[in-house]
Amino acid sequence: MKVLKAIIYGVEKALWDALGRGSLAFTPFIGENICEEMSNIFGKNIESSSLDELLEEMGHFYVEKLGFSESFDVKRGDSEFSIEVKGCSLLDVEERLIKDGVTPFICPLMNSVAYIVRKKLGVKSRIKSINVDPENRTCRLSFEILG
Amino acid sequence: MRNVGDPTPKENFLEVVIYGVERALWDALGKSSLAFTSRIGESLCEELEIKVCEENFVSIEEAVAAIGDALKELGILEDIHAQVDESQIRFRVKGCMLLPIEKRLQKEGIEPFICPIMNAAVYMLRRRLGVRAKLSDINVDVGRKTCEIVFEKL
């Protein structure tokens, strides 16, 4: 895990240093590849037809099936939604990036949610903020629904 | 597939993430993605505390041997052999943890640019010896668990 995490940190830092916020444009494209692989390797196809169901299904995959995080709680508004993730496997990477002034854009949850919401529901979303709380080992991903 | 222990589902998934990043960048930027090789190497050397990246070497042979040993020590690969000639630097790697990813990328026509060996070597050669090198060939043999990486000196 240590080496793989270091690679993810290294790639993210290098791209951010070169492209700045432009790196965020890769978010859904990374998500697309991850979702394809989820389907190929883990046999996971997202089938839900509403945003609530879809987010619940994603949470189930990350928590129950993969053990990538301990919990995945969704809060929904009319034009936004947020996901509070506890015990994410990449929490330490995200925390370091934020400390180093980098807005994380390689976060499989964020990437796959951004892509799948657009692909399955035709809803465009944009990441508004990522707040890491190391003390409580939680991360809150806030998305804005566009259009 | 991996020689250095079996990947856990989480590790397997992180490998998927790395593959996803590499493919997304390649789809958007094509060969320009290769420009990130050295920068990624710099971050990686810092993050993994690969101290040889900051040492001074008198020859390319000495430098590539040192980086190979450091990566082996970190468990990234099982064995590595470097050969340097007038125009090329050739690494023969056995049991690299990212081998399955590299194979897939190669099949899809993507030139890998996230490879700890490549990243660290390119960064170190440029930074410590003023030698610029670019990837000229990569051959993955999943059956034998080997990978040959060839750099052309510029």
Side-chain angles (χ1 to χ4, degrees), chain A residues 1-11 13-15 17-19 26 29-30 33-34 36-38 40-42 61-62 65-68 89-90 96 105-108 111, chain B residues 2 8-25 27-29 36 39-40 43-44 46-49 74-76 97-98 101 104 108 113-114 116:
Chain A
M1 279 293 270
K2 185 189 165 193
V3 171
L4 293 170
K5 283 181 176 186
I7 293 172
I8 290 174
Y9 171 87
V11 171
K13 177 83 167 50
L15 285 169
D17 287 348
L19 305 174
F26 292 109
F29 302 105
I30 296 170
N33 295 329
I34 293 173
E36 270 181 26
E37 290 302 294
M38 275 161 64
N40 291 339
I41 299 175
F42 300 98
F61 174 74
Y62 278 105
K65 180 145 187 184
L66 204 59
F68 198 77
S89 298
L90 286 180
R96 283 227 22 225
F105 57 94
I106 304 176
C107 157
N111 298 134
Chain B
R2 274 177 59 181
T8 64
K10 275 194 236 178
E11 286 172 331
N12 210 337
F13 184 66
L14 287 186
E15 289 175 5
V16 164
V17 172
I18 292 169
Y19 163 83
V21 171
E22 210 158 359
R23 195 173 135 195
L25 260 81
D27 287 347
L29 304 174
F36 295 111
R39 275 178 185 270
I40 294 171
S43 302
L44 208 54
E46 279 174 19
E47 195 58 14
L48 289 172
E49 298 175 345
L74 281 164
I76 292 173
M97 65 191 298
L98 293 184
I101 298 180
R104 278 215 44 200
E108 291 167 6
F113 54 94
I114 303 176

Side-chain angles (χ1 to χ4, degrees), chain A residues 14 21 26 30 35 39 43 98 104 123 126 129 138:
Chain A
R21 295 191 72 81
F26 292 109
I30 296 170
C35 288
S39 161
I98 290 170
V123 174
R126 182 172 77 86
S129 62
T138 57

Side-chain angles (χ1 to χ4, degrees), chain B residues 25-150:
Chain B
L25 260 81
W26 184 266
D27 287 347
L29 304 174
K31 274 184 174 291
S32 303
S33 315
L34 300 173
F36 295 111
T37 308
S38 177
R39 275 178 185 270
I40 294 171
E42 181 176 5
S43 302
L44 208 54
C45 286
E46 279 174 19
E47 195 58 14
L48 289 172
E49 298 175 345
I50 304 176
K51 300 214 172 9
V52 293
C53 288
E54 303 307 321
E55 287 174 13
N56 289 319
F57 294 95
V58 290
S59 70
I60 296 177
E61 287 83 349
E62 200 187 11
V64 295
I67 195 73
D69 287 344
L71 296 173
K72 197 171 157 182
E73 213 168 285
L74 281 164
I76 292 173
L77 46 89
E78 274 184 3
D79 204 9
I80 183 165
H81 174 74
Q83 190 185 341
V84 183
D85 65 26
E86 281 290 299
S87 58
Q88 289 184 332
I89 303 164
R90 188 178 296 266
F91 287 98
R92 288 191 182 88
V93 184
K94 186 162 172 62
C96 173
M97 65 191 298
L98 293 184
L99 198 74
I101 298 180
E102 310 302 352
K103 182 66 190 171
R104 278 215 44 200
L105 291 167
Q106 198 185 22
K107 260 192 192 165
E108 291 167 6
I110 298 169
E111 293 180 33
F113 54 94
I114 303 176
C115 154
I117 303 148
M118 191 189 296
N119 297 133
V122 167
Y123 165 67
M124 190 178 169
L125 290 170
R126 181 182 288 189
R127 168 98 182 241
R128 291 288 142 203
L129 293 164
V131 174
R132 295 184 70 195
K134 84 173 175 85
L135 179 73
S136 68
D137 201 9
I138 182 162
N139 287 301
V140 179
D141 184 334
V142 174
R144 290 183 176 168
K145 298 173 183 171
T146 58
C147 180
E148 187 174 59
I149 307 166
V150 185

